[in-house]
Amino acid sequence: MKFFGLDVDIDDGANLSKALHDAQEQLAQASRLAAVAELSASIAHELNQPLQAIVAHGRACVRWLAATPPRIDEARYSAEQLLRDANAAADVVSRIRALFRHMLPQKVELDINKLILQVCTLMADDIQRNAVSLETILGEDVPKIGADAVQIQQVIVNLVRNAIEALAASEERPRLLVIRSHRDADNVVIDVEDHGTGQVDFEKIFEPFFTTKETGMGMGLAICRSIIEAHAGRIWAVRNVSRGVTFTFSLPIERSKGHFATGAEPTTSY
Ligand code: ADP
């Protein structure tokens, strides 16, 4: 049977559930891609008109100034039109920013170790299916921090998913994935270490739309970085001495406390 373009042996229950899972992933990926493509096209469309007008008025302004004698009044008019269109372009950018404002962190009192364990449970299927052996080393001294639980969960899921994909692409055995947490002075630090391919372009990986995967979108790490930076934290990656890559992010303990979206102390525990 063909199922969303995948060949499935209908008698084989395990195969069917894997095919279902793969099809769901493909559908989710396709709809994410479609949403990004649509958004990019509409931003490009909205910005293109004022940008073209800015270039036209700029050229006219230069021509009027180059005339002998220079036509100052006409040049001033062109410069004024140019400013008007530049403001229109800035308005488009402000509106897009307003659209994403709901992405501001909604901070709660967050137990990061608990969150890591929840992500591991959430991804248990993926981990098992790819024969990854997972180790968690969670610091007992890690305090609760003020952070957006959903956003930080998304960061950890993205990093773990990338690690699983890097491990799946590697011939090395065992496929080791280690998640660590510890306290470092005023920060909580989380490492996601894989012993995968380690073929990473460290200059580019956090840039939007950079991907080396056939069906990748290249937004995962860019989103991770914007989430962590919105929490006044840092995220980076290093190549491991043996093999693979470690992605690390740190979140401030003191500064994140009391900076809750509502302006109040946290009342929700996660
Ligand atoms: P995507 O997963 O859609 O490609 P990401 O932004 O999550 O987008 O990742 C960008 C790129 O960074 C990947 O395509 C891959 O080349 C590289 N990368 C990310 N994580 C790892 C990892 N753990 N090991 C090796 N390369 C990685």
Side-chain angles (χ1 to χ4, degrees):
M1 179 176 95
K2 271 259 184 215
F3 190 73
F4 284 103
L6 299 163
D7 279 316
V8 185
D9 175 0
I10 201 149
D11 293 330
D12 182 342
N15 237 345
L16 186 61
S17 100
K18 183 185 177 306
L20 237 172
H21 181 272
D22 289 350
Q24 275 169 345
E25 288 249 303
Q26 282 182 14
L27 266 178
Q29 173 78 5
S31 68
R32 280 198 298 267
L33 273 175
V36 171
E38 201 175 305
L39 183 66
S40 318
S42 68
I43 293 171
H45 178 77
E46 286 224 41
L47 280 177
N48 213 22
Q49 199 272 333
L51 286 178
Q52 278 179 355
I54 289 167
V55 172
H57 291 307
R59 283 202 181 119
C61 184
V62 170
R63 264 202 318 274
W64 292 126
L65 289 174
T68 13
R71 309 268 294 265
I72 300 298
D73 283 348
E74 286 86 348
R76 180 182 298 119
Y77 176 77
S78 296
E80 281 165 3
Q81 296 300 102
L82 186 153
L83 279 176
R84 188 201 60 185
D85 289 319
N87 282 326
D91 281 350
V92 172
V93 175
S94 303
R95 273 188 281 128
I96 294 165
R97 283 227 176 96
L99 243 177
F100 287 103
R101 212 159 274 154
H102 70 270
M103 280 182 71
L104 277 180
Q106 300 292 313
K107 291 183 178 175
V108 296
E109 196 178 52
L110 181 69
D111 180 339
I112 201 100
N113 284 348
K114 207 164 142 191
L115 187 70
I116 291 171
L117 294 175
Q118 280 170 350
V119 171
C120 294
T121 311
L122 204 72
M123 304 200 65
D125 265 6
D126 262 1
I127 290 170
Q128 222 179 355
R129 193 160 3 92
N130 289 287
V132 169
S133 80
L134 169 71
E135 193 179 342
T136 48
I137 306 169
L138 306 180
E140 281 171 14
D141 58 344
V142 173
K144 289 186 176 171
I145 53 166
D148 186 313
V150 176
Q151 291 188 1
I152 301 301
Q153 183 182 51
Q154 192 181 350
V155 170
I156 304 172
V157 166
N158 277 340
L159 297 181
V160 171
R161 182 169 293 142
N162 277 343
I164 295 173
E165 285 172 357
L167 286 163
S170 147
E171 299 296 316
E172 299 284 350
R173 295 293 181 278
R175 290 176 166 170
L176 192 60
L177 167 61
V178 187
I179 308 177
R180 262 187 242 97
S181 69
H182 70 277
R183 181 184 182 149
D184 177 18
D186 291 336
N187 295 292
V188 166
V189 182
I190 288 89
D191 300 311
V192 178
E193 173 187 323
D194 68 66
H195 291 202
T197 57
Q199 285 160 0
V200 179
D201 187 338
F202 289 96
E203 292 282 304
K204 297 204 175 128
I205 47 174
F206 288 101
E207 284 175 14
F209 302 111
F210 174 80
T211 184
T212 55
K213 299 171 194 167
E214 214 171 294
T215 55
M217 201 158 67
M219 287 304 289
L221 290 176
I223 290 171
C224 288
R225 185 171 62 178
S226 68
I227 289 175
I228 296 301
E229 288 179 354
H231 283 78
R234 282 202 321 121
I235 183 165
W236 65 95
V238 292
R239 201 183 307 281
N240 299 329
V241 178
S242 51
R243 58 176 181 269
V245 184
T246 299
F247 282 83
T248 303
F249 67 87
S250 68
L251 292 168
I253 298 166
E254 286 310 317
R255 281 175 59 198
S256 53
K257 274 193 176 165
H259 278 68
F260 297 89
T262 55
E265 282 298 304
T267 48
T268 325
S269 274
Y270 193 85

